[in-house]
Amino acid sequence: MELERAVMKIGIIGAGQIGGNLTRRLTALGHEVSVANSRGPHTLTELAKETGATPVPVQEAARGAEMVVVTIPLKAIPDLPSGLFAEAADGVAVIDTGNYYPQQRDGRIAAIEDEGLTESRWTEQHLGHPVIKAFNGTYAQDILDRHRPAGTPDRQALPVAGDDAAAKSKVRALIDELGFDTVDAGGLDDSWRQQPDTPVYGLREGVEAVTKALAEASPERTPEFSA
């Protein structure tokens, strides 16, 4: 007999491809999802109708949430309201799916370029709350199409980095529920190993290949992903 899954209250900030597809899958799994974007709840009517998620203003997305997914362009992180997690559940886990695309979208971020901060460490500092880096190198469509039951030979693995062991465990459990294996990619200062243009970024493989790809990463930014 399959054990009944615990229903979680999950906030999603950003309703683009990753945010939209996580909303679809998480509601399908029975979780209570609130979703927000920069344009306001009235622009999320169709997604809400499709999924049963609740559209909310950004400042309410984390209210009562046990987990919050922040999936917006890096350049928009500083524009998020302060005190975003003030009304979240105790021990809320925050997932950062973001990537730094200086030439393509975000412009130059000095702390990343000059101080060597990882993208997620920079995000964490702006949010004022620990983050777990996950889904940043995942194709959005794979969230809908490539999930598999545990133990399936072709089950895809996702790297997960972060410093908060309890939050990381919670995030890895959710990813398993979504139908993917995980690999512990270390602390947030190690999360450069899964940033854009690393071997694991966009890799559609299992645990062994993901582990190998993380080990082979270089901390040097390639010219395409530098300002």
Side-chain angles (χ1 to χ4, degrees):
M1 186 177 77
E2 187 175 341
L3 292 173
E4 187 176 342
R5 295 189 182 101
V7 173
M8 274 199 295
K9 186 169 174 53
I10 300 173
I12 298 181
I13 300 172
Q17 293 183 339
I18 292 285
N21 284 352
L22 282 174
T23 299
R24 292 177 177 94
R25 286 284 292 131
L26 291 168
T27 51
L29 289 167
H31 294 292
E32 184 183 337
V33 176
S34 295
V35 61
N37 67 4
S38 60
R39 294 177 297 141
H42 65 283
T43 65
L44 297 169
T45 307
E46 288 301 315
L47 182 61
K49 187 176 178 182
E50 176 192 346
T51 63
T54 303
V56 294
V58 172
Q59 57 267 34
E60 295 178 17
R63 184 175 292 168
E66 299 161 75
M67 191 169 296
V68 177
V69 183
V70 179
T71 180
I72 62 176
L74 216 66
K75 66 179 180 180
I77 291 289
D79 298 329
L80 288 172
S82 60
L84 189 57
F85 306 105
E87 296 183 62
D90 290 344
V92 60
V94 178
I95 300 175
D96 168 39
T97 78
N99 293 304
Y100 175 46
Y101 300 120
Q103 298 175 39
Q104 301 88 341
R105 182 190 66 195
D106 297 312
R108 190 179 197 279
I109 296 176
I112 293 175
E113 296 286 349
D114 302 336
E115 298 171 29
L117 285 187
T118 61
E119 298 162 11
S120 287
R121 181 68 75 193
W122 180 86
T123 295
E124 178 181 85
Q125 290 182 0
H126 277 280
L127 293 178
H129 191 285
V131 303
I132 304 298
K133 189 177 189 75
F135 297 109
N136 73 292
T138 307
Y139 291 100
Q141 195 60 34
D142 289 354
I143 294 169
L144 300 183
D145 296 345
R146 292 178 68 91
H147 54 91
R148 304 283 187 273
T152 304
D154 66 341
R155 201 182 201 217
Q156 190 171 323
L158 310 183
V160 180
D163 302 330
D164 184 328
K168 186 189 281 184
S169 178
K170 190 186 292 189
V171 170
R172 294 181 73 181
L174 184 74
I175 293 172
D176 177 62
E177 187 184 340
L178 283 163
F180 300 89
D181 287 333
T182 59
V183 173
D184 190 332
L188 213 56
D189 290 334
D190 302 311
S191 64
W192 56 266
R193 293 183 181 276
Q194 66 195 78
Q195 291 176 171
D197 215 29
T198 57
V200 83
Y201 185 77
L203 186 65
R204 290 162 152 159
E205 296 290 346
V207 169
E208 187 176 343
V210 167
T211 302
K212 182 172 183 284
L214 287 166
E216 291 173 348
S218 166
E220 297 300 317
R221 285 187 180 276
T222 58
E224 185 184 354
F225 291 98
S226 300

